[in-house]
mmCIF file of all heavy atoms in Angstrom:
data_model
loop_
_atom_site.group_PDB
_atom_site.id
_atom_site.type_symbol
_atom_site.label_atom_id
_atom_site.label_comp_id
_atom_site.label_asym_id
_atom_site.label_seq_id
_atom_site.Cartn_x
_atom_site.Cartn_y
_atom_site.Cartn_z
ATOM 1 N N ARG A 1238 106.577 129.209 108.167
ATOM 2 C CA ARG A 1238 107.267 127.898 107.792
ATOM 3 C C ARG A 1238 106.350 127.055 106.866
ATOM 4 O O ARG A 1238 106.812 126.486 105.882
ATOM 5 C CB ARG A 1238 107.515 127.146 109.125
ATOM 6 C CG ARG A 1238 108.310 125.867 108.922
ATOM 7 C CD ARG A 1238 108.764 125.385 110.305
ATOM 8 N NE ARG A 1238 107.717 124.785 111.113
ATOM 9 C CZ ARG A 1238 107.761 124.805 112.445
ATOM 10 N NH1 ARG A 1238 108.707 125.379 113.122
ATOM 11 N NH2 ARG A 1238 106.781 124.201 113.136
ATOM 12 N N ILE A 1239 105.052 127.047 107.180
ATOM 13 C CA ILE A 1239 104.128 126.324 106.375
ATOM 14 C C ILE A 1239 103.968 126.972 104.993
ATOM 15 O O ILE A 1239 103.917 126.247 103.929
ATOM 16 C CB ILE A 1239 102.754 126.151 107.059
ATOM 17 C CG1 ILE A 1239 102.882 125.299 108.280
ATOM 18 C CG2 ILE A 1239 101.715 125.613 106.104
ATOM 19 C CD1 ILE A 1239 101.664 125.249 109.206
ATOM 20 N N VAL A 1240 103.918 128.273 104.968
ATOM 21 C CA VAL A 1240 103.803 128.966 103.643
ATOM 22 C C VAL A 1240 105.007 128.649 102.790
ATOM 23 O O VAL A 1240 104.871 128.355 101.582
ATOM 24 C CB VAL A 1240 103.637 130.503 103.872
ATOM 25 C CG1 VAL A 1240 103.868 131.255 102.604
ATOM 26 C CG2 VAL A 1240 102.317 130.806 104.511
ATOM 27 N N GLU A 1241 106.178 128.654 103.349
ATOM 28 C CA GLU A 1241 107.379 128.407 102.607
ATOM 29 C C GLU A 1241 107.410 126.972 102.112
ATOM 30 O O GLU A 1241 107.706 126.663 100.930
ATOM 31 C CB GLU A 1241 108.635 128.766 103.410
ATOM 32 C CG GLU A 1241 109.893 128.600 102.640
ATOM 33 C CD GLU A 1241 110.016 129.412 101.355
ATOM 34 O OE1 GLU A 1241 109.434 130.521 101.336
ATOM 35 O OE2 GLU A 1241 110.614 128.918 100.376
ATOM 36 N N ARG A 1242 107.079 126.091 103.003
ATOM 37 C CA ARG A 1242 107.119 124.593 102.674
ATOM 38 C C ARG A 1242 106.059 124.295 101.566
ATOM 39 O O ARG A 1242 106.298 123.453 100.737
ATOM 40 C CB ARG A 1242 106.773 123.839 103.953
ATOM 41 C CG ARG A 1242 106.807 122.269 103.751
ATOM 42 C CD ARG A 1242 106.197 121.564 104.929
ATOM 43 N NE ARG A 1242 106.879 121.903 106.188
ATOM 44 C CZ ARG A 1242 106.266 122.145 107.375
ATOM 45 N NH1 ARG A 1242 104.963 122.037 107.462
ATOM 46 N NH2 ARG A 1242 106.950 122.448 108.457
ATOM 47 N N SER A 1243 104.987 125.045 101.565
ATOM 48 C CA SER A 1243 103.897 124.763 100.636
ATOM 49 C C SER A 1243 103.932 125.628 99.356
ATOM 50 O O SER A 1243 102.948 125.573 98.582
ATOM 51 C CB SER A 1243 102.586 125.052 101.358
ATOM 52 O OG SER A 1243 102.493 124.369 102.584
ATOM 53 N N ARG A 1244 104.985 126.395 99.201
ATOM 54 C CA ARG A 1244 104.978 127.371 98.105
ATOM 55 C C ARG A 1244 104.647 126.729 96.753
ATOM 56 O O ARG A 1244 103.767 127.230 96.047
ATOM 57 C CB ARG A 1244 106.315 128.114 98.064
ATOM 58 C CG ARG A 1244 106.303 129.384 97.191
ATOM 59 C CD ARG A 1244 107.552 130.200 97.353
ATOM 60 N NE ARG A 1244 107.757 130.643 98.692
ATOM 61 C CZ ARG A 1244 107.138 131.682 99.285
ATOM 62 N NH1 ARG A 1244 106.230 132.365 98.538
ATOM 63 N NH2 ARG A 1244 107.376 132.039 100.501
ATOM 64 N N GLN A 1245 105.302 125.703 96.396
ATOM 65 C CA GLN A 1245 105.111 125.143 95.100
ATOM 66 C C GLN A 1245 103.755 124.372 94.992
ATOM 67 O O GLN A 1245 103.005 124.531 93.997
ATOM 68 C CB GLN A 1245 106.241 124.152 94.689
ATOM 69 C CG GLN A 1245 107.558 124.842 94.398
ATOM 70 C CD GLN A 1245 108.593 123.839 93.896
ATOM 71 O OE1 GLN A 1245 108.573 122.688 94.338
ATOM 72 N NE2 GLN A 1245 109.542 124.340 93.138
ATOM 73 N N SER A 1246 103.404 123.579 95.982
ATOM 74 C CA SER A 1246 102.203 122.837 95.946
ATOM 75 C C SER A 1246 100.949 123.711 96.032
ATOM 76 O O SER A 1246 99.939 123.446 95.359
ATOM 77 C CB SER A 1246 102.174 121.793 97.107
ATOM 78 O OG SER A 1246 102.353 122.393 98.343
ATOM 79 N N ARG A 1247 101.047 124.778 96.809
ATOM 80 C CA ARG A 1247 99.893 125.722 96.901
ATOM 81 C C ARG A 1247 99.753 126.502 95.568
ATOM 82 O O ARG A 1247 98.591 126.622 95.102
ATOM 83 C CB ARG A 1247 100.131 126.725 98.030
ATOM 84 C CG ARG A 1247 99.080 127.761 98.195
ATOM 85 C CD ARG A 1247 97.714 127.114 98.661
ATOM 86 N NE ARG A 1247 96.720 128.180 98.885
ATOM 87 C CZ ARG A 1247 95.402 127.915 99.063
ATOM 88 N NH1 ARG A 1247 94.944 126.666 99.043
ATOM 89 N NH2 ARG A 1247 94.565 128.899 99.252
ATOM 90 N N ALA A 1248 100.843 126.856 94.966
ATOM 91 C CA ALA A 1248 100.698 127.545 93.660
ATOM 92 C C ALA A 1248 100.096 126.635 92.621
ATOM 93 O O ALA A 1248 99.256 127.050 91.799
ATOM 94 C CB ALA A 1248 102.084 128.064 93.208
ATOM 95 N N ALA A 1249 100.498 125.413 92.645
ATOM 96 C CA ALA A 1249 99.944 124.435 91.682
ATOM 97 C C ALA A 1249 98.450 124.197 91.917
ATOM 98 O O ALA A 1249 97.636 124.145 90.950
ATOM 99 C CB ALA A 1249 100.693 123.125 91.758
ATOM 100 N N TYR A 1250 98.086 124.161 93.205
ATOM 101 C CA TYR A 1250 96.641 124.038 93.545
ATOM 102 C C TYR A 1250 95.817 125.225 93.026
ATOM 103 O O TYR A 1250 94.772 125.082 92.405
ATOM 104 C CB TYR A 1250 96.445 123.864 95.032
ATOM 105 C CG TYR A 1250 95.004 123.847 95.398
ATOM 106 C CD1 TYR A 1250 94.198 122.780 95.124
ATOM 107 C CD2 TYR A 1250 94.445 125.018 96.004
ATOM 108 C CE1 TYR A 1250 92.819 122.756 95.447
ATOM 109 C CE2 TYR A 1250 93.099 125.018 96.382
ATOM 110 C CZ TYR A 1250 92.324 123.908 96.080
ATOM 111 O OH TYR A 1250 90.944 123.895 96.364
ATOM 112 N N LEU A 1251 96.299 126.387 93.375
ATOM 113 C CA LEU A 1251 95.561 127.631 92.940
ATOM 114 C C LEU A 1251 95.440 127.681 91.396
ATOM 115 O O LEU A 1251 94.413 128.153 90.859
ATOM 116 C CB LEU A 1251 96.189 128.851 93.507
ATOM 117 C CG LEU A 1251 96.152 129.029 95.026
ATOM 118 C CD1 LEU A 1251 96.946 130.217 95.489
ATOM 119 C CD2 LEU A 1251 94.674 129.044 95.504
ATOM 120 N N ASP A 1252 96.490 127.280 90.673
ATOM 121 C CA ASP A 1252 96.412 127.274 89.237
ATOM 122 C C ASP A 1252 95.350 126.282 88.748
ATOM 123 O O ASP A 1252 94.612 126.565 87.804
ATOM 124 C CB ASP A 1252 97.791 126.867 88.671
ATOM 125 C CG ASP A 1252 97.813 126.804 87.175
ATOM 126 O OD1 ASP A 1252 97.551 127.831 86.470
ATOM 127 O OD2 ASP A 1252 98.014 125.708 86.589
#
Side-chain angles (χ1 to χ4, degrees):
R1238 185 167 76 208
I1239 292 172
V1240 168
E1241 183 57 34
R1242 183 191 301 140
S1243 308
R1244 193 171 300 282
Q1245 289 185 332
S1246 54
R1247 179 66 177 169
Y1250 172 74
L1251 293 175
D1252 179 64

